[in-house]
Amino acid sequence: CIISPLGCFSLYSSILDHVETERARPSALVYAFLRSVISSPLPLPGKSVTIKSIFSESKEGVGELTLFRPQESSRLEHVNFSKLICCLGVKLTLQLFAAALLERRIIFVAEQLSLLSSCCHALVALLYPFSWQHVFVPILPEAMVHICCSPSPYIVGLLPSSIDTVLQFGEEMEEALIFSLDDRKFIRKAGDEENILPSKLQAALISLLTGCDEPDTWREDLEMSDVVIEAFVRFFIEILDIYKDFTYPSVDDPSIIEFQTKPFLKTIKSKASRRFMSEFCKTQMFFNFLQEQGDNPEFSLSIKTLFEERYDEIMSNRVLSSKYGKAVSSGLLKKLRFGKIASYAPGKTK
């Protein structure tokens, strides 16, 4: 088991796979290899590090293992969205996504542990470039089910054997969302889930994601994941719009980024979008997102994340269109119909 604050899943997987293939070796050799890994610095994004490994064959008896860190320490590379979207369908997925955006309490229930884990991780990954800041337990043991009574936001997964206990908590669970993955329906919900997201943007997402809940239309899960990631990234670009124009360092502490919420909201013409953003701007994940813009070492290294690449691309196109007097498309649906989205449409080949 590898515990780390950085989500370099492919790098960690390489280490564990290397150890697994050498299980028959003496444990002393395994520990020596792991000590070598621990003593080596984590490579910068887009770089690699070479570890001496006594496992590997070479003329000298000591080989090397090269570990590569993806250019972006992405929370997306290990996530498979197919189970979540195929199980819930597009509309229910968006309802739970909307609830997570407002940092509500969400409980998944399923018999299969792998389904619980996959769906919890996929829901959190949909929030990219934002990060879930609260309790996250994809498989919550029955002995710890009292955590569900917490008034703080959480995303947890439960076995059906625990749900009766949770429902007996009564009033403490009134605002919690409980969704059965086996029955594909809500056991309990607030009632406003369908109306949290602005209707036009929600309709655009539904249109773009149509077919993602039909696995037979895709050759590989990876193709579907690309479409899902791109769609939600562009959704966030649409709602954030020119947010950078309203960020500034705090006077008291320049390391803290503050946001001019009211002036920003005044720039949003749609009442539905303005209402949604007024709530979203209050969340802990929005605050942390602003702070990460200045603190993230990947930005200081001039390495752009997927979100930054798409954001700069759209903003640049908008400036060019305005400069040359062309009509500027501000609709999410039109913005999404270029780049990877078009090339990964169901039934099309690369």
Side-chain angles (χ1 to χ4, degrees):
C1 176
I2 296 176
I3 301 176
S4 171
L6 297 175
C8 306
F9 294 96
S10 60
L11 186 149
Y12 304 145
S13 179
S14 297
I15 296 172
L16 295 176
D17 288 344
H18 190 67
V19 172
E20 175 63 20
T21 57
E22 303 294 342
R23 288 177 60 185
R25 302 271 187 166
S27 58
L29 295 180
V30 176
Y31 292 134
F33 168 71
L34 292 176
R35 283 195 294 270
S36 179
V37 171
I38 294 172
S39 62
S40 300
L42 186 71
L44 295 174
K47 303 295 182 180
S48 60
V49 63
T50 300
I51 308 294
K52 290 185 178 181
S53 171
I54 197 170
F55 298 152
S56 303
E57 296 181 0
S58 69
K59 294 181 180 179
E60 294 76 17
V62 177
E64 295 180 340
L65 174 67
T66 300
L67 300 173
F68 175 75
R69 178 179 175 182
Q71 192 171 56
E72 180 185 356
S73 299
S74 178
R75 291 160 276 154
L76 306 174
E77 62 174 339
H78 70 297
V79 178
N80 185 328
F81 295 99
S82 62
K83 286 189 177 181
L84 176 69
I85 297 181
C86 291
C87 184
L88 275 66
V90 173
K91 291 184 179 180
L92 288 177
T93 296
L94 291 181
Q95 289 182 34
L96 285 163
F97 166 71
L101 281 180
L102 297 188
E103 298 183 330
R104 294 184 175 180
R105 295 181 293 167
I106 299 173
I107 300 173
F108 282 115
V109 183
E111 286 278 4
Q112 193 175 2
L113 296 181
S114 61
L115 180 62
L116 272 181
S117 181
S118 295
C119 289
C120 286
H121 280 285
L123 179 61
V124 169
L126 289 180
L127 302 175
Y128 175 84
F130 297 87
S131 302
W132 182 254
Q133 301 295 317
H134 307 281
V135 173
F136 177 67
V137 188
I139 302 175
L140 185 67
E142 190 168 0
M144 300 176 65
V145 74
H146 61 276
I147 289 177
C148 297
C149 293
S150 171
S152 302
Y154 55 70
I155 295 176
V156 302
L158 291 178
L159 292 173
S161 58
S162 301
I163 194 61
D164 288 340
T165 303
V166 170
L167 294 176
Q168 289 175 6
F169 291 147
E171 295 181 359
E172 296 172 324
M173 300 301 300
E174 282 186 355
E175 296 181 0
L177 279 69
I178 306 177
F179 190 89
S180 171
L181 294 170
D182 296 328
D183 298 329
R184 302 185 179 187
K185 66 179 183 180
F186 281 100
I187 296 176
R188 172 171 288 174
K189 61 180 182 177
D192 65 343
E193 291 80 11
E194 295 181 21
N195 303 314
I196 295 176
L197 297 179
S199 58
K200 290 184 178 180
L201 295 182
Q202 185 169 189
L205 278 173
I206 291 174
S207 177
L208 288 163
L209 296 172
T210 297
C212 286
D213 54 355
E214 300 172 6
D216 293 341
T217 62
W218 301 89
R219 292 191 306 280
E220 297 178 4
D221 288 340
L222 181 60
E223 287 187 356
M224 190 195 79
S225 292
D226 283 334
V227 171
V228 173
I229 291 168
E230 288 285 340
F232 282 93
V233 165
R234 306 292 175 97
F235 165 81
F236 282 117
I237 293 173
E238 175 72 10
I239 64 172
L240 291 173
D241 198 35
I242 53 173
Y243 79 99
K244 289 185 177 181
D245 294 346
F246 299 92
T247 60
Y248 61 94
S250 171
V251 176
D252 298 328
D253 185 354
S255 65
I256 296 178
I257 304 299
E258 295 191 357
F259 187 68
Q260 297 174 307
T261 304
K262 290 184 178 180
F264 169 71
L265 293 176
K266 288 181 180 179
T267 67
I268 303 176
K269 296 180 180 180
S270 166
K271 290 184 179 180
S273 296
R274 187 163 59 247
R275 182 173 60 252
F276 167 74
M277 284 305 297
S278 66
E279 294 299 318
F280 184 56
C281 288
K282 299 174 185 176
T283 63
Q284 186 65 40
M285 75 173 77
F286 183 78
F287 174 81
N288 280 59
F289 169 76
L290 296 178
Q291 308 316 309
E292 289 172 358
Q293 302 304 294
D295 296 341
N296 194 330
E298 295 183 1
F299 288 102
S300 63
L301 292 168
S302 299
I303 298 175
K304 291 184 178 181
T305 63
L306 171 65
F307 173 77
E308 283 292 307
E309 288 181 354
R310 298 295 183 267
Y311 183 87
D312 289 347
E313 178 185 1
I314 289 177
M315 292 300 117
S316 295
N317 288 340
R318 186 179 292 184
V319 170
L320 287 174
S321 297
S322 178
K323 180 179 179 180
Y324 292 103
K326 297 179 181 179
V328 180
S329 171
S330 59
L332 173 66
L333 190 56
K334 292 182 180 180
K335 283 185 180 179
L336 288 175
R337 284 180 175 170
F338 65 85
K340 290 187 177 180
I341 290 292
S343 64
Y344 284 105
K348 293 186 178 181
T349 57
K350 297 181 183 177

